[in-house]
Amino acid sequence: MATLEGGQQLHSMVVKAGHTGDIIVATAITDMYGKCGCLEDAEANFKYMVLRDAVSWNTIIAVYAYHSQGENALQAYRMMIEKGFLPDEATFLSILSVCSNMGLVEEGKKHFESMSKVYGITPTLEHYACVVNILSRAGQFDEVEAFIKEQKLSTHALIWETVLGACKLHGNLDLGETAARKLFELQPKEDSAYIFLSNIFASKGRWDDVQKIRVLMSEEGIKKEPGCSWVGVDGQVHVFVSQDGSHPKTEQIYAKLQDLKQRLSFSGYIPKTENVLHNISSREKIEHLWHHSERLALGLALISASPGMPIRIFKNLRICEDCHEVMKVISYVTSREIVIRDFKRFHHFKLGSCSCQDSW
């Protein structure tokens, strides 16, 4: 649920009850802080643990991976091995994810091979998907197709979902269409394939094909999952959707965003209107961007939270490229740390940069 206040209260109860030395409880606290966006607290709790086991090491490695701290994750993995703890399936999922995010193709391959050759671990479908992600994010699509064929992975939806996401990233329309068609066969009622393919068409300006996808979705009775963001203010969770006007403080939120819009224009920010995949005018695209759900959540936090306190926002979909750029600039002009968790990972925006190094 990512409710930090509740987690902190439980942590306090653990301390008062004298259970900080319990390895299971201490590991759960590390996990809680990591999933609530408090990387430093997760680190501190792990470092103060008197006893650690393989699960404890897996937890901190996963936290680092989820927070785009690739070097720290790899270092923790090496320390885990040095301390005599054997990695398992969960360990390698985190490590392969880190390699994908950091573009470490050769290192990713070595870790994947070591699973079976060194540690006797049989890779699962998720591990194969990680390798596909490593290769496809690096744009090595010929190798991706060869790997899928060699490992006989063509009947698994997860593999084609991974390929399709990378095709959108690189604008690979041909393979993207192939991946989407496979997904239409394997899971015809899931919306993700339709949305990804539609977005690839939109990015190429193929609006007729976008319309065909929408018609196909309608015929299949498929509805797109609405994007939403939520933020905690004064013990309450406030949820926003794009272009939302239902919040009691909508007027103040929109006014705050307008103020930020003017300040950002003086900082050299140029809207990435190509991220609005609708056939509308450039001016309409700019307005649409400024009312994305994470910006509305940010607007509420800025008018409500104490100055200097980090702002933590959660989102059910991937943050768009323009919102990512905006959050970097806002973190600089407001001198505020902004932490956003999208469905992929945490982004820590601070002084004009992001922890993911613009790769997510």
Side-chain angles (χ1 to χ4, degrees), residues 172-237:
N172 188 332
L173 184 55
D174 291 338
L175 184 56
E177 285 193 83
T178 298
R181 302 303 174 192
K182 287 283 188 180
L183 287 169
F184 293 163
E185 296 173 8
L186 294 169
Q187 45 183 32
K189 296 299 181 182
E190 290 292 327
D191 68 340
S192 58
Y194 298 88
I195 301 303
F196 270 123
L197 183 58
S198 176
N199 289 347
I200 294 174
F201 284 141
S203 68
K204 302 290 185 180
R206 292 175 53 172
W207 301 109
D208 289 343
D209 289 315
V210 171
Q211 184 59 31
K212 289 178 182 177
I213 294 294
R214 290 175 179 169
V215 170
L216 181 58
M217 290 179 68
S218 178
E219 291 174 349
E220 295 289 338
I222 299 169
K223 294 184 179 180
K224 178 184 176 182
E225 178 186 5
C228 67
S229 299
W230 59 97
V231 63
V233 174
D234 297 330
Q236 289 188 323
V237 176

